[in-house]
């Protein structure tokens, strides 16, 4: 499996508009224990700059768009999150950085565990050491 793994979220559209469904164990390949979202990001701002030791996540821009860089220590790819029914998986030990947030961007993230600062690897050199082990 490559570093870029998209999740197509089912979309129900009719004359009223659209509804997107996110279900643990169905569209999402893990149980969700936490949801958070990032919005109001100022122009020129970049976020992330870390990997998670065990946390699994999926991110989708439900409004606007942003770019995410995924890096597993061997391969580094930039992709755009620009569709409300297209989420990207952020697996364990994948360094990620987000930038190019549009003014209306709302980045919604599903995580399989609660917030735990000790799960973050925030130093890139340390990250490379761990993935090369
Ligand atoms: C990630 C990317 C995609 C909490 O208190 N609880 C939480 O659940 C989260 C996510 C954050 N926080 C606190 C920790 C910091 O004091 O909120 C503050 C901002 O978090 P951070 O600087 O880590 O934000 P980003 O945008 O760099 O990273 C976030 C997530 O933290 C991270 O897990 O994968 O979005």
């Amino acid at each position: 499996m490559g570093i870029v793994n998209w999740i197509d979220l089912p979309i129900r559209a009719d004359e009223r508009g659209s509804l997107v469904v996110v279900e643990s164990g169905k569209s999402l390949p893990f149980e969700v224990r936490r949801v958070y979202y990032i919005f109001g990001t100022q122009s020129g701002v970049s976020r992330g700059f870390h990997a998670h030791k065990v946390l699994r996540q999926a991110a989708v821009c439900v409004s606007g768009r942003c770019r995410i860089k995924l890096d597993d220590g061997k391969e580094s790819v930039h992709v755009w999150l620009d569709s409300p029914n297209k989420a990207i998986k952020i697996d364990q030990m994948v360094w990620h950085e987000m930038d190019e947030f549009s003014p209306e961007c709302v980045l919604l993230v599903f995580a399989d565990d609660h917030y735990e600062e000790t799960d973050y690897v925030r130093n890139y050199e340390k990250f490379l050491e761990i993935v090369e082990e």
Side-chain angles (χ1 to χ4, degrees), residues 80-108:
W80 285 97
L81 302 180
D82 56 7
S83 169
N85 69 322
K86 222 171 139 198
I88 193 143
K89 259 177 77 188
I90 307 172
D91 281 322
Q92 299 104 326
M93 291 313 291
V94 171
W95 185 268
H96 49 284
E97 301 171 10
M98 299 86 74
D99 64 6
E100 303 284 349
F101 288 84
S102 64
E104 73 282 28
C105 179
V106 180
L107 177 63
L108 183 63

Side-chain angles (χ1 to χ4, degrees), residues 17-79:
S18 299
L19 181 155
V20 173
V21 186
V22 182
E23 288 178 285
S24 291
K26 287 193 172 179
S27 43
L28 277 192
F30 52 77
E31 292 296 316
V32 176
R33 296 194 78 189
R34 178 166 53 109
V35 176
Y36 60 92
Y37 44 96
I38 293 168
F39 65 100
T41 310
Q42 300 299 305
S43 168
V45 164
S46 299
R47 305 188 63 123
F49 298 90
H50 58 254
H52 287 284
K53 293 175 192 162
V54 295
L55 189 73
R56 291 191 297 164
Q57 303 190 102
V60 56
C61 275
V62 294
S63 170
R65 68 177 195 166
C66 71
R67 196 172 67 153
I68 187 164
K69 176 180 162 183
L70 302 173
D71 176 349
D72 64 2
K74 296 189 192 102
E75 186 189 0
S76 170
V77 182
H78 279 99
V79 293

